[in-house]
Amino acid sequence: MALFELPPELAIDTAVARRIMVGFIRGQLRQAGFERALLGLSGGIDSAVVAFLVAEAIGPERLLCALLPYRTSSEASLEDARSVVDRLGCASRVVDISSIVDGYFEGALGPDGAAASSLRRGNFMARARMAVLYDLSVVWGGLVVGTGNKTEVLIGYTTHFGDDACAFDPVGDLYKSQLRQVAVDLGIPERIITKPPSADLWPGQTDEAEVGFSYAELDRLLYWMVDRRRSAEELAERGFDPRFVERVARMVAGAEFKRQVPPIAKLGPRTSGVDYLYPRRRPAPGS
Amino acid sequence: MQRRRIALAQLAPRLGRLDENLAVHRDVLAHARADGADLVVFPELGLTGYQLQDLSAEVAMALDDPRLAALAAETTGCSAIVSFVEEAPDHRLFIAAALLEDGALRHVHRKIYLPTYGLFDERRFFAAGQVTRAIPSRLGVPLGLAVCEDFWHLTVPLLLALDGAQILVNVSSSPGRDVAAVNEVGLGTATSWRALLRTYAALTTSFVVFCNRVGVDESVTFWGGSEVIGPDGETIMQAPLHDEGVFMAEIDLADVRRERVTLPLLRDERPEMVRRQLERILRTRADEG
């Protein structure tokens, strides 16, 4: 029996995809002059896949997995993350972010902190994890690897400068359904592949309940809309509910800012990102 | 016997590191010569890397650059095709593929078609070449040089074959994309290129030599899969996808004669008719604005 629903048009050659992603990880590190990497391991499928890929690319001894629970995070997530660390034999470190987050909302922010919405708290947790990862990256001497997939990047189901912060992202062009295929190919524990994806910001939260549709239908729509450039009319002919199409199209358009480097006001003769364009890892002149 | 040995250097150049890439080219040349290679082919921008952007001007070399002369000096008794950013005397930058032979720089092909769409932005940084021509070589038959996108335009292989080329050489930095499972070998780019190369070989009844780089620049991964196709469209040698290495192929130049006697497609080409039709088409397009 299949572990998950895979729309046929999203089926990928996992061996080739894996080869490209593993080479990409090596290439990025080499270009930047680093030999080590680290990432935040949540217990979910995305970070598990990236951890396996990094271990394959550079060896588990050069990977640090940071487990960054908040006090309401589920114990099962932590166990799943630990199972990945055990399987890979990589280094790991647990940093409980509760005191950082609570110190802000229950202390630094003053009396109105306690009333903060779960959205604010969720975003703050994601950014606290980012701050911890970047701090640990100095100690570990490695680059932070991103774990955001194409589905969440497109609909903007991320915290800007939080879970989307990274030096590079090997899985950002794989839809969730495709990433699940890669997970099976990598031999990731079945429990991690089959459990409902969750940001785990509060007990019982799941992505699909929060967003309102399944990854299989969302991925299929995004594929035809974005990759295959089908118009709203053509999507309707393909059987997609126009209300669903409109809602997703709005989410994608509204998240454009999260996918781009913030613009700089053009004043001088050469402006970073406008007409000063270099590779991210530029060799020093004369090298 | 008219056998020739061709070495395809399926390398992963380091972006912007000209000196490192020069050293690798010299090393590969020396080894390939020791292995009896008559022709050593390096990929597009093998001396500089591909996603250069504003680095293009910083790694550019004039044709009289001593570093090119030093590389040419290593080609005694063989031919090599190397690719780099050429800075013309008027300071235009070109993506160049040069034929080096017996210690000298014999010919430079400037990339004619510069893709500036999708993931490509070449026209922003480079000037487009204007000339395609077959060039005599020490291999005994004329060569036709092309760079990557030049082969996505039907006219280039046709013109080279009409001009007398019997070996068409395409050097590439082709970024791999589309890993849909329905693709042959799991990569859409490889599927398209393989169809093109076989079609050109069969229709021009020439050898087609394709050298594509591997490795990663920024977001993109170059897929390799360098190959040599015979004048009948059959595969002579096929290098693996993504693996760095130097891959040897042996060709028999007599295959071109055999194929062209059997299947005289080039004899039956109608260049005057093509010219008349092109002139008519150009007039019509000019009238239409």
Side-chain angles (χ1 to χ4, degrees):
Chain A
M1 202 193 90
L3 294 178
F4 57 91
E5 186 189 345
L6 176 65
E9 59 269 63
L10 292 176
I12 58 167
D13 188 314
T14 50
V16 173
R18 202 165 142 181
R19 182 74 201 258
I20 291 175
M21 292 186 286
V22 165
F24 172 81
I25 292 163
R26 281 194 203 115
Q28 290 293 321
L29 290 169
R30 182 185 185 216
Q31 224 181 321
F34 282 85
E35 291 183 345
R36 294 173 142 203
L38 73 161
L39 56 91
L41 193 68
S42 67
I45 188 170
D46 297 357
S47 56
V49 163
V50 176
F52 270 65
L53 291 171
V54 172
E56 187 175 328
I58 60 174
E61 70 283 359
R62 293 185 174 156
L63 167 65
L64 171 67
C65 284
L67 284 56
L68 308 169
Y70 179 67
R71 57 184 164 76
T72 60
S73 301
S74 85
E75 189 52 41
S77 299
L78 203 59
E79 275 170 36
D80 289 337
R82 285 206 174 97
S83 74
V84 169
V85 169
D86 290 345
R87 277 284 296 280
L88 293 175
C90 62
S92 69
R93 180 158 180 179
V94 182
V95 178
D96 188 318
I97 61 165
S98 304
S99 61
I100 304 171
V101 176
D102 295 348
Y104 176 68
F105 287 109
E106 270 45 84
L109 205 50
D112 58 340
S117 66
S118 55
L119 174 75
R120 284 175 64 196
R121 286 172 184 274
N123 281 337
F124 196 87
M125 284 176 213
R127 293 184 181 118
R129 291 187 173 110
M130 177 275 291
V132 172
L133 273 176
Y134 272 84
D135 177 60
L136 293 178
S137 76
V138 180
V139 185
W140 182 248
L143 290 182
V144 175
V145 186
T147 61
N149 65 63
K150 187 168 183 170
T151 312
E152 68 182 29
V153 167
L154 281 175
I155 64 169
Y157 194 61
T158 59
T159 297
H160 202 22
F161 307 121
D163 53 316
D164 67 358
C166 61
F168 58 86
D169 179 0
V171 296
D173 203 19
L174 283 182
Y175 290 111
K176 190 78 163 190
S177 311
Q178 298 173 323
L179 195 132
R180 286 166 166 161
Q181 271 183 274
V182 175
V184 172
D185 190 50
L186 286 167
I188 281 171
E190 208 172 296
R191 179 177 134 130
I192 295 179
I193 299 174
T194 52
K195 71 179 177 181
S198 168
D200 201 12
L201 297 174
W202 55 84
Q205 182 193 24
T206 70
D207 297 1
E208 293 176 332
E210 200 177 6
V211 180
F213 20 76
S214 79
Y215 272 113
E217 30 177 8
L218 181 56
D219 288 351
R220 223 183 128 243
L221 172 59
L222 288 170
Y223 173 80
W224 286 108
M225 183 190 282
V226 176
D227 292 279
R228 294 295 169 201
R229 300 174 190 259
R230 295 299 196 271
S231 69
E233 293 72 34
E234 289 166 326
L235 291 167
E237 282 166 27
R238 230 167 233 288
F240 290 105
D241 179 346
R243 285 163 301 181
F244 175 45
V245 172
E246 198 199 327
R247 190 166 160 226
V248 172
R250 267 176 204 282
M251 292 171 93
V252 173
E256 223 56 73
F257 75 95
K258 289 189 181 179
R259 291 186 282 273
Q260 297 178 23
V261 177
I264 292 173
K266 174 83 180 155
L267 294 168
R270 275 184 101 188
T271 308
S272 170
V274 180
D275 44 17
Y276 177 88
L277 302 171
Y278 281 96
R280 256 177 89 81
R281 301 293 177 179
R282 178 183 174 191
S287 64
Chain B
M1 290 301 272
Q2 293 182 275
R3 298 209 172 269
R4 300 290 183 273
R5 280 168 73 78
I6 302 177
L8 301 183
Q10 184 166 293
L11 304 179
R14 296 205 64 183
L15 187 58
R17 297 178 187 268
L18 190 54
D19 291 345
E20 273 187 57
N21 296 324
L22 275 163
V24 172
H25 276 54
R26 278 196 296 272
D27 190 48
V28 168
L29 255 179
H31 280 94
R33 274 172 63 200
D35 282 352
D38 298 293
L39 171 65
V40 189
V41 187
F42 293 90
E44 175 186 17
L45 294 178
L47 287 172
T48 62
Y50 179 75
Q51 299 273 38
L52 293 162
Q53 299 181 286
D54 283 350
L55 277 177
S56 308
E58 294 167 35
V59 298
M61 291 187 284
L63 293 183
D64 60 0
D65 191 296
R67 290 169 293 188
L68 277 179
L71 195 56
E74 316 243 349
T75 59
T76 309
C78 80
S79 309
I81 294 162
V82 301
S83 176
F84 53 94
V85 178
E86 177 206 345
E87 181 163 346
D90 62 4
H91 307 300
R92 284 179 300 163
L93 304 178
F94 294 95
I95 297 175
L99 174 66
L100 312 178
E101 273 187 345
D102 283 331
L105 193 156
R106 294 261 188 251
H107 177 83
V108 174
H109 169 74
R110 294 167 164 176
K111 187 174 189 177
I112 298 169
Y113 291 100
L114 302 176
T116 306
Y117 56 79
L119 71 169
F120 303 106
D121 203 12
E122 294 182 11
R123 199 68 176 87
R124 177 184 173 93
F125 301 100
F126 297 106
Q130 303 285 347
V131 179
T132 176
R133 68 160 39 120
I135 42 176
S137 77
R138 68 181 303 287
L139 297 169
V141 295
L143 298 179
L145 299 192
V147 180
C148 204
E149 188 86 355
D150 289 343
F151 261 29
W152 282 82
H153 295 267
L154 285 166
T155 39
V156 172
L158 175 66
L159 289 170
L160 289 171
L162 284 173
D163 204 22
Q166 296 191 20
I167 303 175
L168 311 183
V169 182
N170 182 288
V171 299
S172 282
S173 284
S174 168
R177 48 213 188 274
D178 191 4
V179 293
V182 292
N183 289 310
E184 178 202 348
V185 301
L187 193 66
T189 326
T191 309
S192 325
W193 266 102
R194 287 180 176 189
L196 289 186
L197 297 169
R198 277 152 189 76
T199 305
Y200 293 156
L203 296 184
T204 63
T205 49
S206 306
F207 286 103
V208 168
V209 174
F210 173 64
C211 183
N212 184 32
R213 66 164 286 189
V214 290
V216 180
D217 278 1
E218 310 289 276
S219 286
V220 299
T221 300
F222 304 92
W223 55 278
S226 301
E227 50 183 350
V228 176
I229 316 292
D232 54 359
E234 295 297 318
T235 308
I236 292 172
M237 192 283 294
Q238 194 164 53
L241 266 58
H242 297 119
D243 288 340
E244 187 166 19
V246 179
F247 301 93
M248 290 292 244
E250 191 167 275
I251 62 170
D252 182 356
L253 295 177
D255 285 347
V256 172
R257 180 175 188 276
R258 269 189 286 276
E259 189 64 23
R260 290 184 180 184
V261 168
T262 311
L263 196 66
L265 301 178
L266 271 183
R267 181 196 71 187
D268 296 345
E269 277 298 329
R270 304 276 306 276
E272 291 87 2
M273 185 276 294
V274 171
R275 185 179 62 189
R276 282 196 303 278
Q277 301 312 310
L278 279 176
E279 283 167 355
R280 178 184 58 77
I281 291 164
L282 286 170
R283 275 197 308 277
T284 312
R285 287 169 67 151
D287 291 346
E288 287 168 351

